[in-house]
Amino acid sequence: MSVEQRSATPPAARKGEGLKKIVAASMVGTVVEWYEFFLYATAATLVFGKYFFPSTGNDLDGIIQAFLTYAVGFIARPLGGIVFGQIGDKLGRKPTLQLTIVIIGVSTFLMGCLPGFVDIGYLAPALLVILRFIQGFALGGEWGGAVLLVAEHSPDKGRGFWASWPQAAVPVGNLLATLVLFIMSNTLSAADFLGWGWRVAFWLSAVIVFVGYYIRTNVSEAPIFLEAKAQLEAEQAASYGVREVIRKYPKGILQSMGLRFAENIMYYLVVSFSIVYLKTVDKYDTSSLLLALLIAHLVHFLIIPQIGRLVDSWGRKPVYLIGAISGATWPFFAFPMFDTKNAVVIVLAVTIGLCLHGFMYAGQPALMAELFPTRMRYAGVSLGSQVTSIFAGSLAPLLATAWLKDTNSWLPTAIYLVVACVITAATVLTLKETKGIALEDVDRADAEREGLAVASVR
């Protein structure tokens, strides 16, 4: 059967089939995996600095050490993006996502079993680093597959909205992680929470990972991916994966990195460094901090799909620019709001930060998917987004905490975010507006550029 014969079904019909089911499967798995990843972020701030490292008399030293192990996960993510991007472009999005969710679940569960520094000394942080690396490696292949599974099933004029739903699953995962830690810290004594209460949140991953895996067994690959796979098998001159996307689409990778830069930095400043600042400078209690984050994550979840609608109606570029420009202003009003020590004002500051972040975050999947042809889209999206995390999200809370220790001021962190937002805004200006573009047209342009046979996918 030829590629043309396999493409007889109209694309609108194919894309509309089971779209909500695809979105649900993508979201559930994403919630599970980001629950586990962000659980580490919150625990690193509240627990790991004291439990896995020797005491120096300064709480910030332990937090900085914990953030260093936190950064290991980000370093591993590009490697995961390369490996799983290659697998995802060759074998499919579905089997890749099933594998990543199992790896993350096992590594997170084992974190909850680790003894502390007083029990086994420096072997404790060493084991923590190994498990964190494995966790980050798997997550590096998760994000690209989850968003592309939806983006490639979505109608052209609604891709921004539908592909924003996996993004909305990220604050849900963070919300669940925060909720579990909030319940444990609010019902246990400080000694019990530090001793064993935090472990419960990690052990729960064993339960929810089964749910995510099962749901992902019931999804199908997008027709456009199956078309591209069939064409690759028929057209030996065509290639796929990481090496090919670096060679043929370096501009797309650099643009993806630029888009990700400020967004990634801002997110971890809002959800991680805010906790450090409020706890060490303003001496805010743990339960109140977690409650503030719970509310902010809920609002973040609700607003992302609405911004996704704007991405489809206003365009990718103007919405992203709103996020980059407004995001640069956040620290200049947020930290003075933190210093009021007023619970309502603090919640408002964190919530506004995540809402501004949403203007960059919601449109990312559609925008990045439209930068690459299907035969190398998984690799391109994963590589561009995950490499950035090494020098963006991984360093952001670490640098901000170090600057706070050295200067006792939030101003260096504010300047840092402004510079990041300028870089991202400049990147947005280099893009072509792709609102409503058909992914088949992206594939067709790639085929014409490379002199390949053009599959009949319309």
Side-chain angles (χ1 to χ4, degrees):
M1 183 181 289
S2 68
V3 173
E4 288 77 4
Q5 288 174 311
R6 280 189 295 264
S7 307
T9 306
R14 296 197 309 265
K15 289 180 178 178
E17 293 173 0
L19 181 54
K20 291 182 180 180
K21 179 180 176 181
I22 296 294
V23 170
S26 179
M27 285 188 68
V28 170
T30 302
V31 166
V32 172
E33 298 192 351
W34 286 97
Y35 162 84
E36 294 162 351
F37 197 77
F38 284 127
L39 182 63
Y40 190 103
T42 306
T45 304
L46 300 176
V47 178
F48 289 175
K50 298 177 181 178
Y51 191 80
F52 286 103
F53 299 94
S55 174
T56 63
N58 187 333
D59 287 344
L60 287 177
D61 288 332
I63 293 173
I64 289 172
Q65 290 174 318
F67 276 144
L68 283 172
T69 67
Y70 180 59
V72 169
F74 286 87
I75 295 172
R77 281 166 65 172
L79 297 177
I82 291 172
V83 172
F84 292 113
Q86 192 84 5
I87 295 172
D89 280 331
K90 182 177 182 180
L91 300 181
R93 284 58 167 139
K94 175 180 173 178
T96 307
L97 291 174
Q98 290 174 309
L99 179 59
T100 58
I101 196 172
V102 171
I103 294 175
I104 290 184
V106 171
S107 60
T108 305
F109 179 83
L110 291 177
M111 285 180 187
C113 301
L114 289 178
F117 184 84
V118 296
D119 299 309
I120 58 174
Y122 285 100
L123 184 58
L127 292 173
L128 184 66
V129 167
I130 293 172
L131 291 175
R132 176 61 174 171
F133 184 90
I134 295 172
Q135 187 190 56
F137 179 79
L139 188 66
E142 154 65 21
W143 182 82
V147 298
L148 291 184
L149 192 65
V150 177
E152 292 177 341
H153 276 89
S154 300
D156 300 332
K157 293 183 179 180
R159 187 176 301 117
F161 170 70
W162 288 108
S164 71
W165 279 100
Q167 301 290 75
V170 174
V172 175
N174 207 343
L175 188 151
L176 290 177
T178 306
L179 178 61
V180 172
L181 289 175
F182 172 76
I183 293 173
M184 300 306 297
S185 67
N186 213 34
T187 56
L188 299 175
S189 66
D192 285 341
F193 177 73
L194 186 62
W196 61 269
W198 63 272
R199 298 180 184 275
V200 175
F202 285 79
W203 291 336
L204 283 176
S205 64
V207 178
I208 59 179
V209 75
F210 284 115
V211 177
Y213 182 86
Y214 172 75
I215 292 177
R216 283 188 170 174
T217 62
N218 295 305
V219 299
S220 59
E221 299 286 0
I224 192 172
F225 169 75
L226 297 176
E227 295 288 354
K229 184 178 180 181
Q231 184 176 355
L232 283 172
E233 293 171 353
E235 180 67 66
Q236 296 300 318
S239 188
Y240 63 91
V242 174
R243 182 179 299 179
E244 182 76 353
V245 77
I246 292 175
R247 189 164 65 94
K248 297 294 177 62
Y249 288 88
K251 181 180 179 181
I253 294 174
L254 290 174
Q255 288 174 323
S256 297
M257 293 172 67
L259 291 172
R260 182 82 161 142
F261 191 57
E263 172 271 309
N264 201 226
I265 287 173
M266 183 173 182
Y267 189 80
Y268 287 99
L269 290 179
V270 175
V271 303
S272 294
F273 180 65
S274 290
I275 298 178
V276 175
Y277 185 87
L278 286 164
K279 194 163 181 63
T280 60
V281 175
D282 294 328
K283 307 302 180 183
Y284 214 65
D285 69 281
T286 297
S287 295
S288 298
L289 281 174
L290 294 174
L291 181 60
L293 284 175
L294 277 175
I295 297 171
H297 291 320
L298 179 60
V299 175
H300 198 209
F301 162 71
L302 294 173
I303 199 172
I304 285 176
Q306 305 313 314
I307 298 174
R309 291 186 187 277
L310 296 181
V311 169
D312 286 325
S313 59
W314 293 2
R316 281 56 165 144
K317 294 178 64 174
V319 173
Y320 219 105
L321 280 173
I322 290 173
I325 295 170
S326 62
T329 69
W330 178 77
F332 295 99
F333 62 80
F335 288 101
M337 291 173 74
F338 291 156
D339 290 339
T340 66
K341 301 182 183 180
N342 181 288
V344 175
V345 175
I346 289 172
V347 170
L348 188 60
V350 176
T351 302
I352 291 174
L354 289 182
C355 288
L356 298 181
H357 167 268
F359 278 87
M360 291 184 280
Y361 198 54
Q364 259 184 27
L367 189 49
M368 290 187 184
E370 291 155 359
L371 290 175
F372 304 99
T374 305
R375 66 190 177 100
M376 59 184 81
R377 182 172 292 125
Y378 202 144
V381 168
S382 295
L383 191 62
S385 63
Q386 301 307 330
V387 167
T388 314
S389 66
I390 295 179
F391 51 88
S394 69
L395 292 179
L398 177 63
L399 290 174
T401 303
W403 290 329
L404 180 64
K405 177 186 176 184
D406 293 339
T407 68
N408 198 33
S409 172
W410 52 263
L411 187 58
T413 298
I415 296 172
Y416 171 56
L417 182 57
V418 168
V419 172
C421 287
V422 169
I423 292 172
T424 291
T427 301
V428 174
L429 295 177
T430 69
L431 297 169
K432 295 180 180 178
E433 180 56 64
T434 53
K435 179 181 72 170
I437 192 174
L439 295 182
E440 292 87 352
D441 289 342
V442 177
D443 289 352
R444 183 174 290 103
D446 173 66
E448 291 173 353
R449 169 182 166 178
E450 301 302 320
L452 305 173
V454 181
S456 175
V457 293
R458 299 296 292 178

